[in-house]
Amino acid sequence: MAPKLAGLMPRRTLLAATAAVVALGLVVVLLSRRDGGDEYVPTPIPGVEMTCFQETAPVPWSYCINRLPDSANQDLLYYLHARNGNPTWWNDRTYHTGRLYETWRANRQDPPTVVAVSFGKLWMLSDYDPELDGGLFKVFTDTVIPTVEAQIDIRQGQRLLAGISMGGFNTLLLALKSDGVFSRAAAICSPLPTVSNHDGLMAILGAARETGTSTKRALMLWAFGRRFYPTRQVWAANDPLSLSRGFSAEAGPALYLTCGRADDWGCFLGSEQLAANIEQAGGDIQWVPRDGGHCDIDYTSLGAFLQPSVGDST
């Protein structure tokens, strides 16, 4: 005789468990894929001189200094790359950074010195790491900045920050947690979850539908969150939306935030909420919504924002 249904897992629970197992398998496959970061070779921007360095302490990290020799701009821009990137990606005339130089050139604006920083292909500047006191956040503020600025004198300029995608998220972490360090920070197409990665897979998939995040991207974000933010407390301390509610208008930097409505990483709703939080706190926020997909950029407004010496300074 067949066993009674009462002794079996309810159908809804079974389906949810099956979906979770399938999702985990999919995430493993997605995260193990190589996106061509090693093979891609940037096409240098004409006139830009790049010098790169590899450091080993307190963890391995690297950076590239990019200068236009005849530029009179004395500002220093720290740039944080996207997932699977490396610091050489800044100096690429076919990338968004090349478009930025074209905009500055068209507007007769000298570009700042740019330092592209990297801790590898996938990293978060949170202040949590079980093997590293203060996490990569502390490494950046206590090691990266002093190391770079031992070579570059910015006493007559301003310290700026910008990042794209993963780098945009890291930009927000630095900007919202390091009062008085940067004068301006631009977060470009930063994925901004509106739920915690600890809320459960079904809740995350539900939020993905609300925010327009593709299932693939939602699962990747969930896996990233589980890796970098193992507890609710750690996530709460490193969630840009939560941090933006306590933003200091007096000590925090001027912010530039942009995202496309069709971005399948789901950054639009979170960006709207973060911009509203900063505005409510009395902060200086330039929110630039776009109609396109991931990293649809308005180079005119971004280029102007990263030129604080032109017009009003912060």
Side-chain angles (χ1 to χ4, degrees):
M1 180 180 294
K4 299 292 186 182
L5 288 178
L8 297 178
M9 183 182 295
R11 177 178 174 80
R12 182 173 296 179
T13 304
L14 178 61
L15 289 175
T18 302
V21 171
V22 172
L24 285 172
L26 177 60
V27 168
V28 171
V29 172
L30 292 173
L31 295 183
S32 63
R33 289 177 57 187
R34 301 181 66 86
D35 286 2
D38 285 336
E39 295 77 18
Y40 180 74
V41 178
T43 304
I45 299 168
V48 173
E49 296 181 354
M50 181 174 70
T51 307
C52 297
F53 304 85
Q54 182 70 51
E55 304 289 341
T56 59
V59 293
W61 61 282
S62 58
Y63 65 103
C64 294
I65 300 175
N66 298 267
R67 291 187 174 98
L68 200 63
D70 58 354
S71 174
N73 190 322
Q74 299 187 66
D75 296 334
L76 174 60
L77 170 62
Y78 286 88
Y79 173 75
L80 311 179
H81 64 74
R83 183 177 66 92
N84 284 324
N86 65 64
T88 68
W89 280 20
W90 170 268
N91 188 8
D92 187 352
R93 67 178 178 83
T94 67
Y95 196 38
H96 68 276
T97 51
R99 293 282 303 276
L100 196 54
Y101 276 90
E102 290 176 4
T103 300
W104 286 330
R105 186 180 302 112
N107 292 327
R108 300 181 181 277
Q109 296 173 331
D110 286 344
T113 296
V114 179
V115 177
V117 179
S118 179
F119 291 93
K121 292 184 175 298
L122 179 64
W123 45 279
M124 293 290 158
L125 291 176
S126 71
D127 55 13
Y128 171 81
D129 190 313
E131 300 178 358
L132 186 65
D133 180 42
L136 291 183
F137 175 84
K138 186 175 182 180
V139 174
F140 200 101
T141 57
D142 292 6
T143 300
V144 172
I145 291 177
T147 298
V148 168
E149 295 179 15
Q151 304 178 63
I152 302 172
D153 183 0
I154 66 163
R155 286 176 295 180
Q156 302 301 316
Q158 299 186 45
R159 186 185 295 118
L160 315 174
L161 177 66
I164 189 166
S165 195
M166 177 189 77
F169 188 91
N170 283 323
T171 291
L172 289 173
L173 289 180
L174 276 176
L176 297 173
K177 294 174 70 106
S178 57
D179 290 347
V181 175
F182 300 96
S183 63
R184 293 191 174 193
I188 307 162
C189 56
S190 167
L192 283 174
T194 56
V195 297
S196 165
N197 58 286
H198 296 282
D199 288 336
L201 190 56
M202 295 302 105
I204 289 175
L205 292 177
R209 289 191 294 271
E210 180 186 9
T211 59
T213 310
S214 69
T215 301
K216 171 184 175 180
R217 302 303 190 197
L219 293 174
M220 293 176 74
L221 289 171
W222 174 75
F224 296 158
R226 300 291 288 189
R227 172 177 173 180
F228 292 105
Y229 308 107
T231 68
R232 287 184 181 274
Q233 291 74 21
V234 172
W235 170 244
N238 293 277
D239 171 19
L241 287 179
S242 296
L243 293 170
S244 67
R245 297 185 187 101
F247 182 77
S248 171
E250 293 74 24
L255 293 171
Y256 178 100
L257 191 63
T258 187
C259 176
R261 289 182 174 85
D263 192 319
D264 68 348
W265 281 95
C267 72
F268 196 85
L269 180 59
S271 294
E272 278 190 320
Q273 294 177 4
L274 189 143
N277 291 342
I278 299 297
E279 185 174 354
Q280 186 174 6
D284 184 351
I285 175 75
Q286 186 173 347
W287 162 227
V288 184
R290 301 285 287 170
D291 291 328
H294 193 49
C295 301
D296 177 12
I297 300 171
D298 174 24
Y299 294 98
T300 299
S301 64
L302 177 61
F305 179 82
L306 295 175
Q307 289 279 348
S309 58
V310 178
D312 294 335
S313 60
T314 55

